[in-house]
Amino acid sequence: MKMRGQAFVVFSDITAATAALRQLNGRQIFGKPMQIEYALSKSNKVAQLDGTFRFDQPHQHMSARKRKELMGIANKRPIADAEEEQAAKRREIEQDMDESDDEVGPQMPTSDQARPSATLFVSNFPKSVSQEMLMELFQQYDGFKELRLAEGKTGVAFVDYLSPEAAASARDVLDGFKISPRRAIKVEFSR
């Protein structure tokens, strides 16, 4: 397999990978903008670290066409089918957001209304995300104190830091972080 101008970089954690993606995506190198994306499969090194690597089974590389088929993306679909699929996805996302809005209650202020505070309001994460998963994301920033899931409300948490500055550094990196392929978390200063 011949790959020109491609590289795979393994990070020790998802936060570092996200920070690199945000800082370097689109940056010019040799006169061309870099296009950085998350890998679709786990690298051998990551699999070794998390214990899922099997030495007796070689890594199965997948063609781009096969990967797109598995993800439900076909190159030669009629435009009408693709547009209908896009509309269905939009409806599904809007329905998910409507359901979570009902459970959340009053909306948080927009970023220009919220004053910096040492507590962050985290929303729009799916039910499948555990408190431990969120803690992995937020405790990597200096000044982390605690994370509390909002009782009786799905997809809502509060994260406390020692200072508003510490909270701001976590918010700046994690606001918009894709916690799943279809959902990005929203991180704002709490009231």
Side-chain angles (χ1 to χ4, degrees):
M1 176 165 54
K2 194 176 197 181
M3 298 189 307
R4 290 188 177 189
Q6 295 183 16
F8 293 88
V9 180
V10 178
F11 289 87
S12 60
D13 57 66
I14 191 84
T15 308
T18 301
L21 183 141
R22 287 183 176 181
Q23 291 175 359
L24 297 175
N25 199 19
R27 184 172 284 184
Q28 295 282 327
I29 185 163
F30 300 117
K32 294 186 177 183
M34 286 193 284
Q35 295 178 343
I36 302 174
E37 298 176 0
Y38 293 112
L40 296 175
S41 62
K42 194 183 296 187
S43 73
N44 288 347
K45 187 65 175 174
V46 171
Q48 287 173 358
L49 292 172
D50 71 11
T52 59
F53 183 76
R54 303 255 333 226
F55 289 98
D56 58 338
Q57 292 181 343
H59 185 72
Q60 295 292 325
H61 292 283
M62 195 180 305
S63 71
R65 184 176 354 146
K66 178 77 171 171
R67 194 169 45 243
K68 286 179 181 179
E69 286 174 10
L70 287 174
M71 293 175 60
I73 305 168
N75 289 335
K76 297 182 180 179
R77 278 192 189 160
I79 292 174
D81 288 348
E83 288 174 353
E84 178 57 37
E85 185 175 327
Q86 288 280 353
K89 284 182 183 179
R90 266 188 254 118
R91 284 192 299 272
E92 182 181 326
I93 291 169
E94 288 170 0
Q95 182 180 5
D96 284 348
M97 293 189 75
D98 287 345
E99 288 173 6
S100 65
D101 286 347
D102 292 344
E103 296 170 2
V104 171
Q107 295 295 308
M108 287 299 296
T110 59
S111 58
D112 57 14
Q113 294 173 330
R115 291 187 184 142
S117 75
T119 302
L120 296 175
F121 177 78
V122 183
S123 61
N124 199 38
F125 55 89
K127 293 177 185 178
S128 61
V129 173
S130 68
Q131 183 170 0
E132 290 78 27
M133 293 168 81
L134 287 173
M135 284 186 66
E136 284 291 321
L137 285 175
F138 287 93
Q139 70 185 0
Q140 296 179 32
Y141 296 92
D142 291 336
F144 174 82
K145 282 175 43 179
E146 72 171 328
L147 180 136
R148 303 177 313 277
L149 293 177
E151 290 184 27
K153 297 177 182 172
T154 305
V156 176
F158 294 92
V159 184
D160 292 320
Y161 284 88
L162 294 174
S163 69
E165 294 79 20
S169 67
R171 183 199 65 160
D172 292 345
V173 174
L174 294 175
D175 185 34
F177 176 79
K178 285 195 127 186
I179 197 93
S180 71
R182 291 186 181 175
R183 275 217 185 149
I185 61 173
K186 187 166 185 151
V187 182
E188 301 174 284
F189 290 116
S190 182
R191 291 186 221 181

Short mmCIF file of all heavy atoms in Angstrom, two decimals, residues 110-157:
data_model
loop_
_atom_site.label_atom_id
_atom_site.label_comp_id
_atom_site.label_asym_id
_atom_site.label_seq_id
_atom_site.Cartn_x
_atom_site.Cartn_y
_atom_site.Cartn_z
N THR A 110 -26.00 32.24 26.79
CA THR A 110 -25.03 32.14 25.71
C THR A 110 -23.69 32.63 26.24
O THR A 110 -23.61 33.29 27.27
CB THR A 110 -25.47 32.99 24.50
OG1 THR A 110 -25.59 34.35 24.92
CG2 THR A 110 -26.77 32.49 23.92
N SER A 111 -22.62 32.31 25.51
CA SER A 111 -21.28 32.58 26.00
C SER A 111 -21.04 34.07 26.27
O SER A 111 -20.25 34.42 27.13
CB SER A 111 -20.24 32.05 25.03
OG SER A 111 -20.42 32.64 23.77
N ASP A 112 -21.74 34.96 25.54
CA ASP A 112 -21.52 36.38 25.81
C ASP A 112 -22.28 36.84 27.05
O ASP A 112 -22.03 37.91 27.57
CB ASP A 112 -21.85 37.24 24.59
CG ASP A 112 -23.29 37.05 24.10
OD1 ASP A 112 -24.11 36.47 24.84
OD2 ASP A 112 -23.57 37.50 22.98
N GLN A 113 -23.24 36.05 27.55
CA GLN A 113 -23.97 36.41 28.75
C GLN A 113 -23.31 35.83 30.01
O GLN A 113 -23.43 36.41 31.08
CB GLN A 113 -25.41 35.87 28.68
CG GLN A 113 -26.24 36.51 27.60
CD GLN A 113 -27.58 35.80 27.47
OE1 GLN A 113 -27.69 34.61 27.73
NE2 GLN A 113 -28.60 36.54 27.09
N ALA A 114 -22.69 34.66 29.90
CA ALA A 114 -22.14 33.98 31.07
C ALA A 114 -20.83 34.63 31.50
O ALA A 114 -19.94 34.86 30.70
CB ALA A 114 -21.91 32.51 30.75
N ARG A 115 -20.76 34.90 32.79
CA ARG A 115 -19.51 35.44 33.35
C ARG A 115 -18.59 34.28 33.70
O ARG A 115 -19.06 33.22 34.11
CB ARG A 115 -19.82 36.23 34.61
CG ARG A 115 -20.56 37.49 34.34
CD ARG A 115 -20.68 38.31 35.60
NE ARG A 115 -21.48 39.48 35.33
CZ ARG A 115 -22.35 39.98 36.17
NH1 ARG A 115 -22.53 39.42 37.34
NH2 ARG A 115 -23.04 41.06 35.85
N PRO A 116 -17.29 34.47 33.58
CA PRO A 116 -16.37 33.39 33.97
C PRO A 116 -16.59 32.99 35.43
O PRO A 116 -16.79 33.82 36.30
CB PRO A 116 -14.99 34.02 33.79
CG PRO A 116 -15.20 35.09 32.77
CD PRO A 116 -16.58 35.62 33.02
N SER A 117 -16.61 31.69 35.65
CA SER A 117 -16.73 31.16 37.01
C SER A 117 -15.87 29.92 37.11
O SER A 117 -15.39 29.40 36.10
CB SER A 117 -18.19 30.84 37.34
OG SER A 117 -18.60 29.67 36.70
N ALA A 118 -15.69 29.42 38.31
CA ALA A 118 -14.87 28.24 38.54
C ALA A 118 -15.65 26.95 38.26
O ALA A 118 -15.10 25.87 38.32
CB ALA A 118 -14.34 28.23 39.96
N THR A 119 -16.94 27.07 37.94
CA THR A 119 -17.78 25.91 37.64
C THR A 119 -18.21 25.95 36.19
O THR A 119 -18.65 26.97 35.69
CB THR A 119 -19.02 25.90 38.56
OG1 THR A 119 -18.60 25.88 39.91
CG2 THR A 119 -19.88 24.68 38.29
N LEU A 120 -18.07 24.80 35.52
CA LEU A 120 -18.49 24.67 34.13
C LEU A 120 -19.78 23.88 34.05
O LEU A 120 -20.01 22.94 34.81
CB LEU A 120 -17.41 23.94 33.31
CG LEU A 120 -16.07 24.63 33.19
CD1 LEU A 120 -15.07 23.74 32.46
CD2 LEU A 120 -16.21 25.96 32.46
N PHE A 121 -20.63 24.25 33.11
CA PHE A 121 -21.87 23.55 32.81
C PHE A 121 -21.62 22.75 31.54
O PHE A 121 -21.28 23.32 30.50
CB PHE A 121 -23.00 24.56 32.60
CG PHE A 121 -24.31 23.95 32.20
CD1 PHE A 121 -25.11 23.34 33.14
CD2 PHE A 121 -24.73 23.98 30.88
CE1 PHE A 121 -26.33 22.78 32.78
CE2 PHE A 121 -25.95 23.43 30.51
CZ PHE A 121 -26.75 22.83 31.47
N VAL A 122 -21.74 21.43 31.61
CA VAL A 122 -21.47 20.55 30.49
C VAL A 122 -22.79 19.91 30.06
O VAL A 122 -23.52 19.38 30.89
CB VAL A 122 -20.46 19.44 30.87
CG1 VAL A 122 -20.14 18.57 29.67
CG2 VAL A 122 -19.20 20.04 31.45
N SER A 123 -23.10 19.99 28.77
CA SER A 123 -24.36 19.43 28.29
C SER A 123 -24.17 18.77 26.93
O SER A 123 -23.11 18.85 26.32
CB SER A 123 -25.43 20.52 28.19
OG SER A 123 -25.03 21.53 27.28
N ASN A 124 -25.24 18.11 26.48
CA ASN A 124 -25.33 17.47 25.17
C ASN A 124 -24.45 16.24 25.04
O ASN A 124 -23.89 15.98 23.98
CB ASN A 124 -25.03 18.46 24.04
CG ASN A 124 -25.55 17.94 22.71
OD1 ASN A 124 -26.61 17.35 22.65
ND2 ASN A 124 -24.80 18.16 21.65
N PHE A 125 -24.32 15.46 26.10
CA PHE A 125 -23.64 14.18 25.95
C PHE A 125 -24.68 13.06 26.12
O PHE A 125 -25.64 13.20 26.84
CB PHE A 125 -22.46 14.01 26.91
CG PHE A 125 -22.76 14.21 28.37
CD1 PHE A 125 -23.17 13.14 29.16
CD2 PHE A 125 -22.64 15.46 28.96
CE1 PHE A 125 -23.45 13.33 30.50
CE2 PHE A 125 -22.90 15.65 30.30
CZ PHE A 125 -23.31 14.57 31.07
N PRO A 126 -24.48 11.94 25.39
CA PRO A 126 -25.47 10.87 25.42
C PRO A 126 -25.50 10.14 26.76
O PRO A 126 -24.57 10.22 27.56
CB PRO A 126 -25.01 9.93 24.30
CG PRO A 126 -23.62 10.30 23.98
CD PRO A 126 -23.39 11.69 24.46
N LYS A 127 -26.58 9.40 26.97
CA LYS A 127 -26.75 8.63 28.21
C LYS A 127 -25.63 7.62 28.40
O LYS A 127 -25.31 7.26 29.53
CB LYS A 127 -28.09 7.88 28.19
CG LYS A 127 -29.29 8.76 28.24
CD LYS A 127 -30.56 7.94 28.14
CE LYS A 127 -31.77 8.85 28.07
NZ LYS A 127 -33.02 8.12 27.92
N SER A 128 -25.06 7.15 27.31
CA SER A 128 -24.02 6.12 27.39
C SER A 128 -22.71 6.62 27.98
O SER A 128 -21.85 5.83 28.35
CB SER A 128 -23.76 5.54 26.00
OG SER A 128 -23.31 6.55 25.13
N VAL A 129 -22.54 7.92 28.10
CA VAL A 129 -21.30 8.49 28.66
C VAL A 129 -21.38 8.45 30.18
O VAL A 129 -22.32 8.97 30.79
CB VAL A 129 -21.07 9.93 28.16
CG1 VAL A 129 -19.90 10.57 28.86
CG2 VAL A 129 -20.86 9.93 26.66
N SER A 130 -20.39 7.82 30.79
CA SER A 130 -20.38 7.68 32.25
C SER A 130 -19.65 8.84 32.92
O SER A 130 -18.94 9.60 32.26
CB SER A 130 -19.69 6.36 32.64
OG SER A 130 -18.31 6.44 32.33
N GLN A 131 -19.82 8.92 34.22
CA GLN A 131 -19.13 9.95 34.99
C GLN A 131 -17.62 9.77 34.88
O GLN A 131 -16.88 10.74 34.78
CB GLN A 131 -19.58 9.90 36.46
CG GLN A 131 -18.96 10.99 37.30
CD GLN A 131 -19.59 11.08 38.68
OE1 GLN A 131 -20.50 10.32 39.03
NE2 GLN A 131 -19.12 12.01 39.47
N GLU A 132 -17.17 8.52 34.86
CA GLU A 132 -15.74 8.24 34.76
C GLU A 132 -15.18 8.73 33.42
O GLU A 132 -14.07 9.27 33.37
CB GLU A 132 -15.46 6.73 34.91
CG GLU A 132 -15.70 6.20 36.30
CD GLU A 132 -17.18 6.00 36.63
OE1 GLU A 132 -17.99 5.77 35.69
OE2 GLU A 132 -17.54 6.10 37.81
N MET A 133 -15.94 8.56 32.35
CA MET A 133 -15.50 9.03 31.04
C MET A 133 -15.34 10.54 31.03
O MET A 133 -14.36 11.07 30.50
CB MET A 133 -16.48 8.59 29.96
CG MET A 133 -16.52 7.08 29.73
SD MET A 133 -17.91 6.58 28.72
CE MET A 133 -17.30 6.93 27.10
N LEU A 134 -16.30 11.24 31.61
CA LEU A 134 -16.21 12.70 31.67
C LEU A 134 -15.05 13.13 32.55
O LEU A 134 -14.34 14.09 32.23
CB LEU A 134 -17.52 13.29 32.20
CG LEU A 134 -18.70 13.25 31.23
CD1 LEU A 134 -19.96 13.70 31.93
CD2 LEU A 134 -18.43 14.10 30.01
N MET A 135 -14.85 12.43 33.65
CA MET A 135 -13.73 12.79 34.53
C MET A 135 -12.40 12.65 33.81
O MET A 135 -11.50 13.47 34.01
CB MET A 135 -13.76 11.95 35.80
CG MET A 135 -14.82 12.43 36.77
SD MET A 135 -14.78 11.60 38.35
CE MET A 135 -13.23 12.17 39.00
N GLU A 136 -12.26 11.63 32.96
CA GLU A 136 -11.03 11.45 32.18
C GLU A 136 -10.75 12.69 31.34
O GLU A 136 -9.61 13.09 31.18
CB GLU A 136 -11.13 10.22 31.29
CG GLU A 136 -10.95 8.91 32.01
CD GLU A 136 -9.54 8.70 32.51
OE1 GLU A 136 -8.57 9.06 31.81
OE2 GLU A 136 -9.40 8.19 33.63
N LEU A 137 -11.79 13.28 30.80
CA LEU A 137 -11.62 14.47 29.97
C LEU A 137 -11.24 15.69 30.80
O LEU A 137 -10.31 16.42 30.47
CB LEU A 137 -12.90 14.78 29.20
CG LEU A 137 -13.23 13.90 28.01
CD1 LEU A 137 -14.60 14.26 27.45
CD2 LEU A 137 -12.17 14.03 26.94
N PHE A 138 -11.99 15.93 31.87
CA PHE A 138 -11.86 17.20 32.59
C PHE A 138 -10.75 17.22 33.63
O PHE A 138 -10.22 18.29 33.93
CB PHE A 138 -13.20 17.57 33.23
CG PHE A 138 -14.21 18.04 32.22
CD1 PHE A 138 -15.10 17.15 31.65
CD2 PHE A 138 -14.24 19.36 31.80
CE1 PHE A 138 -16.02 17.57 30.70
CE2 PHE A 138 -15.15 19.78 30.85
CZ PHE A 138 -16.05 18.89 30.30
N GLN A 139 -10.37 16.08 34.20
CA GLN A 139 -9.36 16.11 35.26
C GLN A 139 -7.95 16.30 34.72
O GLN A 139 -7.01 16.51 35.48
CB GLN A 139 -9.44 14.86 36.12
CG GLN A 139 -9.00 13.58 35.47
CD GLN A 139 -9.23 12.39 36.36
OE1 GLN A 139 -9.72 12.52 37.48
NE2 GLN A 139 -8.88 11.22 35.88
N GLN A 140 -7.79 16.32 33.41
CA GLN A 140 -6.48 16.53 32.83
C GLN A 140 -6.07 18.00 32.86
O GLN A 140 -4.94 18.33 32.54
CB GLN A 140 -6.47 16.02 31.39
CG GLN A 140 -6.68 14.53 31.33
CD GLN A 140 -6.68 14.02 29.92
OE1 GLN A 140 -6.01 14.57 29.06
NE2 GLN A 140 -7.43 12.98 29.69
N TYR A 141 -6.96 18.87 33.25
CA TYR A 141 -6.67 20.30 33.29
C TYR A 141 -6.39 20.72 34.72
O TYR A 141 -7.07 20.29 35.66
CB TYR A 141 -7.83 21.10 32.67
CG TYR A 141 -7.97 20.76 31.22
CD1 TYR A 141 -8.84 19.75 30.81
CD2 TYR A 141 -7.18 21.38 30.27
CE1 TYR A 141 -8.92 19.39 29.48
CE2 TYR A 141 -7.26 21.02 28.93
CZ TYR A 141 -8.13 20.03 28.55
OH TYR A 141 -8.20 19.66 27.23
N ASP A 142 -5.36 21.54 34.88
CA ASP A 142 -4.95 22.00 36.21
C ASP A 142 -6.12 22.64 36.96
O ASP A 142 -6.94 23.34 36.36
CB ASP A 142 -3.81 23.03 36.09
CG ASP A 142 -2.53 22.39 35.62
OD1 ASP A 142 -2.36 21.17 35.81
OD2 ASP A 142 -1.68 23.12 35.06
N GLY A 143 -6.18 22.38 38.24
CA GLY A 143 -7.19 23.01 39.08
C GLY A 143 -8.48 22.21 39.18
O GLY A 143 -9.43 22.67 39.81
N PHE A 144 -8.55 21.02 38.60
CA PHE A 144 -9.77 20.21 38.66
C PHE A 144 -10.08 19.85 40.11
O PHE A 144 -9.22 19.42 40.86
CB PHE A 144 -9.60 18.94 37.84
CG PHE A 144 -10.76 17.98 37.95
CD1 PHE A 144 -11.89 18.16 37.18
CD2 PHE A 144 -10.71 16.91 38.82
CE1 PHE A 144 -12.96 17.28 37.29
CE2 PHE A 144 -11.76 16.04 38.93
CZ PHE A 144 -12.89 16.21 38.16
N LYS A 145 -11.35 20.05 40.53
CA LYS A 145 -11.80 19.68 41.88
C LYS A 145 -12.73 18.48 41.83
O LYS A 145 -12.44 17.44 42.43
CB LYS A 145 -12.50 20.85 42.56
CG LYS A 145 -11.54 21.88 43.11
CD LYS A 145 -12.18 23.11 43.70
CE LYS A 145 -13.37 22.90 44.57
NZ LYS A 145 -13.92 24.14 45.12
N GLU A 146 -13.88 18.64 41.15
CA GLU A 146 -14.82 17.53 41.09
C GLU A 146 -15.77 17.67 39.90
O GLU A 146 -15.91 18.74 39.33
CB GLU A 146 -15.64 17.43 42.38
CG GLU A 146 -16.67 18.53 42.56
CD GLU A 146 -17.60 18.27 43.75
OE1 GLU A 146 -17.89 17.11 44.06
OE2 GLU A 146 -18.02 19.27 44.35
N LEU A 147 -16.42 16.55 39.58
CA LEU A 147 -17.42 16.51 38.52
C LEU A 147 -18.69 15.91 39.11
O LEU A 147 -18.64 14.89 39.78
CB LEU A 147 -16.94 15.65 37.36
CG LEU A 147 -17.90 15.54 36.18
CD1 LEU A 147 -17.15 15.69 34.87
CD2 LEU A 147 -18.67 14.26 36.20
N ARG A 148 -19.83 16.57 38.87
CA ARG A 148 -21.12 16.09 39.39
C ARG A 148 -22.09 15.96 38.23
O ARG A 148 -22.28 16.91 37.47
CB ARG A 148 -21.71 17.08 40.40
CG ARG A 148 -20.83 17.38 41.57
CD ARG A 148 -21.45 18.43 42.49
NE ARG A 148 -22.01 19.62 41.88
CZ ARG A 148 -21.32 20.69 41.51
NH1 ARG A 148 -20.03 20.73 41.67
NH2 ARG A 148 -21.93 21.74 40.98
N LEU A 149 -22.71 14.79 38.10
CA LEU A 149 -23.79 14.64 37.13
C LEU A 149 -25.03 15.25 37.74
O LEU A 149 -25.28 15.10 38.94
CB LEU A 149 -24.03 13.16 36.81
CG LEU A 149 -22.90 12.44 36.08
CD1 LEU A 149 -23.26 10.97 35.89
CD2 LEU A 149 -22.63 13.08 34.73
N ALA A 150 -25.81 15.95 36.94
CA ALA A 150 -27.05 16.56 37.43
C ALA A 150 -28.07 15.45 37.67
O ALA A 150 -28.36 14.67 36.76
CB ALA A 150 -27.58 17.57 36.43
N GLU A 151 -28.59 15.37 38.88
CA GLU A 151 -29.54 14.32 39.23
C GLU A 151 -30.86 14.54 38.49
O GLU A 151 -31.38 15.64 38.45
CB GLU A 151 -29.78 14.29 40.73
CG GLU A 151 -28.58 13.81 41.51
CD GLU A 151 -28.86 13.69 42.99
OE1 GLU A 151 -30.02 13.48 43.37
OE2 GLU A 151 -27.90 13.83 43.75
N GLY A 152 -31.37 13.46 37.90
CA GLY A 152 -32.65 13.53 37.22
C GLY A 152 -32.60 14.17 35.84
O GLY A 152 -33.63 14.34 35.21
N LYS A 153 -31.42 14.54 35.39
CA LYS A 153 -31.28 15.19 34.08
C LYS A 153 -30.23 14.45 33.27
O LYS A 153 -29.09 14.32 33.70
CB LYS A 153 -30.91 16.66 34.23
CG LYS A 153 -31.97 17.45 34.96
CD LYS A 153 -31.55 18.88 35.15
CE LYS A 153 -32.64 19.61 35.93
NZ LYS A 153 -32.24 20.94 36.31
N THR A 154 -30.60 14.00 32.11
CA THR A 154 -29.69 13.25 31.25
C THR A 154 -28.83 14.21 30.43
O THR A 154 -29.33 15.20 29.91
CB THR A 154 -30.50 12.35 30.29
OG1 THR A 154 -31.36 11.54 31.06
CG2 THR A 154 -29.58 11.47 29.46
N GLY A 155 -27.55 13.88 30.32
CA GLY A 155 -26.67 14.67 29.46
C GLY A 155 -26.25 15.99 30.05
O GLY A 155 -25.88 16.90 29.31
N VAL A 156 -26.27 16.12 31.38
CA VAL A 156 -25.90 17.38 32.03
C VAL A 156 -24.96 17.09 33.20
O VAL A 156 -25.19 16.17 33.99
CB VAL A 156 -27.15 18.12 32.55
CG1 VAL A 156 -26.76 19.38 33.30
CG2 VAL A 156 -28.07 18.46 31.41
N ALA A 157 -23.90 17.88 33.32
CA ALA A 157 -22.96 17.75 34.43
C ALA A 157 -22.39 19.11 34.79
O ALA A 157 -22.45 20.05 34.00
CB ALA A 157 -21.83 16.79 34.06
#
